[in-house]
Amino acid sequence: MERIIAAIFLLLFSCQAAAAAGAARVRRPPTLARHYVSSWTRRHRHHVTAAGDDGGVSLPPTVQYETRRYTQRLDHFNSLPASYATFQQRYLINDTFWGGPTAPIFLYAGNEADIDLFTNNTGFMWEAAPRFRAMLVFVEHRYYGESLPFGGTREAAFRDAATKGYLTVTQALADYASFVLSLKANLSAPTAPVLVFGGSYGGMLAAWMRLKYPHVVMGAVASSAPILSFYGIVDPYAFYDRITDDFKSESKNCYDVLRKSWDVLYNALATKEGQALLRRTFNMCKGSSVQDIPSLLDNAVAEAAMTDYPTASGFLTALPAYPVRSMCRAIDDRQAAAAASSSGSGDGNDGNSTTALLLLSQQVRDAMNVYYNHTGGASCFGAAEDDDPYGFYDGWNWQSCTEVMVMAYGVRDGSVLPPSPFNFTDFVDDCRKDTGLPPRPFWIETEFGGYDIANVMKKSASNIIFFNGLRDPWSTGGVLKSVSDSIIALVEPKGAHHVDLRFSSKDDPEWLKQVRVKETRIIARWLKQYYSDEGIAT
């Protein structure tokens, strides 16, 4: 398999393709990466420049940075000659607010994509920096964006398992630690406290960095970090259960329509008459076909649940506030309009008539329009392209089948997405075929812990904020209870995927404002304690 699309990640495992009727392959878990880019965005990405408002917004004027490179070692963990090879790791830096050698450094642990993407969307760091007189540094993850080993070309870096084998979590964390120590040395700032931030996979990295390198970073803000989403720890059906709950909470009718839609769509696609009706209802882009409708709907449902933000957003695709609610309203409004124009032809959702198929296809189209065409700028629907504008397909395909094997792909009967039974053995076998190597599904727990994580961290860790919004399906693998006075879980029932790290808006609800206030106060407390322990006057 050339590409694994579907987390989440993250966000690349083709849950859409596997959702097709009769699909032979295992439904792949939605990685932390796949959710970052929709097919509409890939066509129109030049219109979407920042988070916070509708598509086409400009970045706040404070978001300015210098691009630099750090000569990074290829392999931190042995002394074989090949280990001494180097590559250029990109980082973005802003020292406008920095208060000098004892002032904080806010470090963003780069995710599985181009570092510009996260720099331009992590508003909390930009807004907090002036208060704390902090330097801002965003470091790109090895093998993503422009930080490519073996000569700096994607072809060379991903040539085979021998070159891809240096793409691991432990190597990435060692990169960040090495970089931080070098940066502080060059700044003549050995006592500058470093706080690491991250959302999604970056949040996992932030938490793990604090656990593994407490002498390098003195605290971590880990937003929507599913560090417990691994085999034997999390319910493999929980991710899609949460998506189902999100839609069901908005409208029982919406839930029923989506749940029934799959069989109706697949049956329609199996006949010429059904395909003709869908063709009349959906305006598919050139190179796409009505066969792509189920995968587009699957993608829209999953991503809307994850990014169910309380304000309009432009995080790679323009969405209204609470997109799940908007999608359900589109479905319900279409049904109400149909009922009003008809004196009685059944509920129109049983899939046994042309009238029922027409109504359901219109409801699906209207819901997809909310996700793919909220601003009205798209003239057609299109399937996911081979384009990889943010540079994450190759790297995350490898990581998610070698060690970051999140367990988020079981779909129960009754879900808003097509049922897909959990089968761990099939998943492992499929990954072995993809990489040619035996996967290591238990390595993350071995390296960083997972089982009984609260007691483990209580004895060995401190200064970590775990934020999770319970509208976010990734929260099912997050730390949802505080462990100690300094390992704090902030849980918001109405929150979505790393919503706390987004730029603030005048339309933010009070609960979101309070989350950021709490995070700011916790950081201030950590810094006060650090300066006291180090005997540094402030």
Side-chain angles (χ1 to χ4, degrees), residues 424-463:
F424 180 67
T425 301
D426 287 351
F427 173 51
V428 170
D429 289 346
D430 212 24
C431 278
R432 185 191 297 265
K433 294 175 184 176
D434 291 340
T435 65
L437 300 172
R440 306 175 75 189
F442 303 105
W443 174 245
I444 293 296
E445 295 101 314
T446 302
E447 179 69 9
F448 303 108
Y451 301 105
D452 197 22
I453 192 67
N455 281 328
V456 171
M457 289 195 295
K458 188 182 297 183
K459 299 172 184 176
S460 61
S462 64
N463 291 8

Side-chain angles (χ1 to χ4, degrees), residues 23 38 86 92 126-127 145 151 188 262 266 284 304 307 326 342 361 373 381 396 399 404 457 475 511 523 526:
S38 69
T86 61
L92 312 179
W126 288 97
E127 293 171 355
S188 298
W262 306 101
Y266 292 140
M284 303 305 295
T307 56
S326 294
S342 174
S361 64
N373 195 21
F381 287 111
W396 195 253
Q399 285 191 266
V404 193
M457 289 195 295
S475 68
W511 61 260
I523 292 170
W526 289 349

Side-chain angles (χ1 to χ4, degrees), residues 59-73:
L59 290 171
T62 55
V63 180
Q64 299 180 15
Y65 46 80
E66 180 182 346
T67 300
R68 300 180 185 175
R69 299 294 194 284
Y70 173 69
T71 301
Q72 187 63 262
R73 177 171 166 147

Side-chain angles (χ1 to χ4, degrees), residues 359-376:
L359 173 58
L360 184 138
S361 64
Q362 290 172 336
Q363 289 175 297
V364 168
R365 179 199 61 198
D366 293 350
M368 287 168 51
N369 259 324
V370 171
Y371 185 80
Y372 292 107
N373 195 21
H374 166 55
T375 61

Side-chain angles (χ1 to χ4, degrees), residues 6-11 15 27-35 200 224 226 229 234-247 298-299 301-307 406-412 415-417 470-478 497:
I8 82 290
F9 69 143
L10 118 115
L11 236 113
C15 73
R27 181 188 183 97
R28 291 310 189 97
T31 73
L32 290 80
R34 77 168 278 272
H35 297 282
S200 197
S224 298
S229 288
V234 72
D235 177 357
Y237 291 91
F239 184 92
Y240 286 105
D241 285 350
R242 184 59 52 83
I243 292 174
T244 296
D245 291 343
D246 287 350
F247 279 87
D298 187 310
N299 182 74
V301 167
E303 296 193 18
M306 196 178 78
T307 56
V406 291
M407 296 294 105
Y409 60 90
V411 187
R412 302 182 202 273
S415 171
V416 292
L417 293 168
L470 298 185
R471 301 286 289 181
D472 177 17
W474 286 113
S475 68
T476 57
H497 201 51

